[in-house]
Amino acid sequence: MDKYLIKYLRDNSEDELSSKYIDFFKIELDWHIYNNERHIAERYHREKKSSFKEEVIKTLQYCYAIAGFSDKIKSDKSNVLSTLPFLDQLTLQDLNLISYSPVWHPIGKKNIFGDLQSIKWHKKIQKIIQKEDFYSFLNKNLHFELEEFQNHFFKQYKEKDFRALLLHTDQNFYSKYFIDIFKKLEKPSIVFSHGLPAIYSKDIDNRSDFLMVWSDKIKENYLKAGFDSEKIKVVGNPHYKKNQKNKELRSDLSDILVVPVSSILWHQHEYDSTVLVDKSMVVLYLYKVQKVLEKLGVKQARYRTHPSINKDWVHAFLDQNFYIMDNQELAKSINRSSLVIGATSTVLLESLIYGVNYIVFEPKDSENVNMAGFKLVPPFDGSDEKVITAKDENELENMLRNNNKTDYSLLKDYIQDFDISVMKELIK
């Protein structure tokens, strides 16, 4: 039985080109089906308004690209096209690489590559994504036009001799479109994992030629999901360069931070496994934690939702005498915390870095599916003995009473020392 509209449209398209671009626009099409803008943060809205400052910066970036400032830079290094702000020139210089950001994802004000024609194209695509109705994306003329315009980028990138494309995901339209161009250029596309994966699937980050991950543990999880071993490269993470080998975690009930399950989904991760998320699960999660904490005499706790969720929407559901909305920067928020109770999140590793105990609370069913409808993955599924994991309120209460602590050494398991020297073999 057909259970997913986008898959139906892709598989039943009248021609290969339309099927290809329906796939490329998958996330953007999903938005029309699953999005509820009351529930998500304003900066994630489809028709979000840019501030005056953002518009000025964008205009200046376009001007830098058109003026050809990047062409004036003389270098004997190999060129790469990158949308990764953390891989700066200093990081890449030892690899004899110099990075340029594209006009469709400009970074800073230097080394922005593109021309007026590319900027016009980008603005047109942005207008389609932000303004057009669902059916507009199915227009065959649009698909033909997009395919034809690939020639423009192909010629530009070939002339500039870009040796690789560096991305943070392969899921959105731009990533898919330009991965396709670099395949035609016969140059590698490389995705850098930007968080602790909450899902391992061959439908995610599998289009690129290579996927850079933080540790052998994460690579192992990808291999279990069916990824090719040669595709996955362990490079660590540049944000976490100086982690201590040992650290005593603080853990008490004096200033608790709760990181609830994320209950938004404006696109399906996979084609063959659709998940309909009940938006109220973020609220139910917080209710469950409050009930346990009150049994232990806790009068107040802070909470912080995923950045994509509208905090005010969540807060209106809560006992505001008990819950305090946390609006601090993540580092400050964790630094003041005496304990973190949370669901599947990279905050697990952040907490350990700052020396704070993290208890995973992931209510789940017999199929290992959590409240948001997703199958739990390591280290949040209870399979790793180093992680204190509670699957219901009783277990959470017992763990808090016993002051059970997650093993700090888990940090080393999931974040290895940053080393991208492997890119020397990949980019030629």
Side-chain angles (χ1 to χ4, degrees):
M1 181 177 73
D2 295 315
K3 297 179 68 176
Y4 181 32
L5 175 60
I6 312 306
K7 181 181 180 182
Y8 175 84
L9 292 171
R10 182 198 67 177
D11 294 350
N12 289 277
S13 175
E14 295 179 4
D15 60 72
E16 280 190 29
L17 188 62
S18 287
S19 178
K20 171 181 173 177
Y21 280 97
I22 288 169
D23 173 55
F24 280 13
F25 278 119
K26 178 182 179 297
I27 281 184
E28 290 76 14
L29 288 166
D30 276 342
W31 186 275
H32 291 265
I33 303 170
Y34 302 103
N35 173 49
N36 180 341
E37 291 194 342
R38 281 195 63 201
H39 183 58
I40 64 173
E42 190 171 337
R43 65 191 175 105
Y44 288 88
H45 286 197
R46 181 172 175 243
E47 296 186 49
K48 64 181 177 182
K49 299 288 189 294
S50 298
S51 67
F52 176 74
K53 180 180 179 180
E54 288 172 330
E55 287 297 326
V56 170
I57 291 172
K58 189 187 302 179
T59 300
L60 287 173
Q61 288 173 324
Y62 288 157
C63 290
Y64 293 140
I66 294 171
F69 289 171
S70 61
D71 293 330
K72 298 174 185 176
I73 299 172
K74 301 298 182 182
S75 173
D76 59 355
K77 295 179 172 62
S78 297
N79 302 326
V80 295
L81 193 68
S82 172
T83 64
L84 306 174
F86 63 83
L87 279 184
D88 55 23
Q89 306 302 349
L90 188 63
T91 306
L92 293 173
Q93 68 180 5
D94 290 339
L95 302 179
N96 205 38
L97 300 173
I98 183 167
S99 71
Y100 295 81
S101 64
V103 291
W104 43 272
H105 194 123
I107 299 171
K109 61 181 181 180
K110 294 181 179 179
N111 288 22
I112 301 171
F113 186 79
D115 59 7
L116 183 59
Q117 196 174 349
S118 301
I119 292 169
K120 288 180 178 178
W121 174 88
H122 171 56
K123 287 188 171 184
K124 179 177 180 178
I125 298 304
Q126 282 300 98
K127 185 177 180 181
I128 291 172
I129 290 172
Q130 293 175 354
K131 302 289 186 182
E132 293 295 333
D133 292 332
F134 184 97
Y135 201 72
S136 301
F137 292 83
L138 309 183
N139 188 326
K140 292 181 182 179
N141 292 331
L142 171 63
H143 303 159
F144 180 77
E145 182 183 328
L146 288 168
E147 190 72 4
E148 284 293 297
F149 203 81
Q150 280 199 350
N151 294 326
H152 177 74
F153 289 113
F154 181 91
K155 292 174 184 176
Q156 273 196 325
Y157 296 171
K158 188 175 181 63
E159 183 178 343
K160 190 65 177 176
D161 193 22
F162 282 122
R163 303 295 180 87
L165 173 67
L166 312 183
L167 301 164
H168 70 277
T169 181
D170 76 346
Q171 288 193 276
N172 60 39
F173 166 75
Y174 290 101
S175 295
K176 294 174 182 177
Y177 188 78
F178 287 95
I179 285 174
D180 193 44
I181 291 171
F182 271 73
K183 286 189 184 299
K184 293 175 180 178
L185 286 166
E186 298 183 343
K187 301 296 181 182
S189 55
I190 303 171
V191 166
F192 279 73
S193 182
H194 60 287
L196 192 57
I199 182 172
Y200 293 91
S201 167
K202 291 184 74 174
D203 282 342
I204 302 173
D205 293 337
N206 197 29
R207 295 171 186 266
S208 63
D209 295 298
F210 301 100
L211 174 61
M212 306 303 209
V213 300
W214 296 358
S215 71
D216 287 315
K217 276 270 190 182
I218 295 176
K219 177 173 181 175
E220 180 183 323
N221 293 337
Y222 275 111
L223 297 185
K224 288 178 180 176
F227 278 64
D228 180 355
S229 177
E230 291 303 309
K231 175 190 285 283
I232 313 297
K233 306 296 179 183
V234 177
V235 295
N237 188 302
H239 292 304
Y240 313 112
K241 293 181 179 179
K242 299 179 180 179
N243 296 326
Q244 296 179 21
K245 291 184 177 179
N246 296 296
K247 187 178 286 188
E248 181 64 31
L249 301 178
R250 63 181 179 271
S251 181
D252 63 61
L253 306 181
S254 60
D255 193 348
I256 298 171
L257 176 66
V258 183
V259 180
V261 65
S262 180
S263 64
I264 61 170
L265 184 69
W266 55 65
H267 69 90
Q268 295 295 335
H269 294 294
E270 301 175 277
Y271 271 105
D272 294 312
S273 178
T274 55
V275 177
L276 298 178
V277 174
D278 182 335
K279 295 176 175 60
S280 72
M281 289 302 98
V282 62
V283 177
L284 179 57
Y285 184 100
L286 289 165
Y287 283 0
K288 285 175 175 287
V289 174
Q290 178 179 350
K291 182 179 177 182
V292 172
L293 293 181
E294 285 179 332
K295 284 185 179 180
L296 300 173
V298 176
K299 302 298 183 184
Q300 276 192 332
R302 291 174 295 116
Y303 75 97
R304 60 183 300 130
T305 59
H306 189 276
S308 57
I309 296 179
N310 180 350
K311 295 179 181 179
D312 293 328
W313 183 89
V314 176
H315 201 62
F317 285 88
L318 302 180
D319 175 354
Q320 294 171 23
N321 291 318
F322 183 86
Y323 274 120
I324 300 169
M325 186 192 300
D326 186 290
N327 291 313
Q328 290 183 298
E329 293 178 3
L330 180 59
K332 291 181 179 179
S333 175
I334 296 175
N335 252 330
R336 64 169 284 189
S337 300
S338 62
L339 170 69
V340 180
I341 300 170
T344 299
S345 173
T346 308
V347 179
L348 164 62
L349 301 181
E350 298 272 3
S351 288
L352 298 180
I353 288 169
Y354 290 106
V356 182
N357 188 24
Y358 190 107
I359 293 181
V360 173
F361 177 49
E362 277 283 16
K364 60 181 181 179
D365 64 17
S366 59
E367 299 297 319
N368 213 31
V369 174
N370 74 355
M371 294 173 66
F374 292 102
K375 200 170 188 67
L376 292 171
V377 300
F380 304 99
D381 60 353
S383 62
D384 195 320
E385 293 181 354
K386 291 185 178 182
V387 185
I388 300 302
T389 306
K391 67 176 182 296
D392 57 40
E393 291 98 313
N394 289 333
E395 286 192 359
L396 178 60
E397 181 182 347
N398 290 333
M399 289 170 181
L400 291 172
R401 289 189 185 280
N402 294 324
N403 196 24
N404 296 136
K405 294 181 182 180
T406 287
D407 189 332
Y408 177 78
S409 68
L410 178 84
L411 190 61
K412 192 66 176 175
D413 293 343
Y414 278 87
I415 303 179
Q416 294 176 206
D417 293 338
F418 183 56
D419 180 7
I420 55 172
S421 59
V422 67
M423 288 176 65
K424 292 180 180 178
E425 306 168 12
L426 309 181
I427 302 175
K428 299 173 182 177

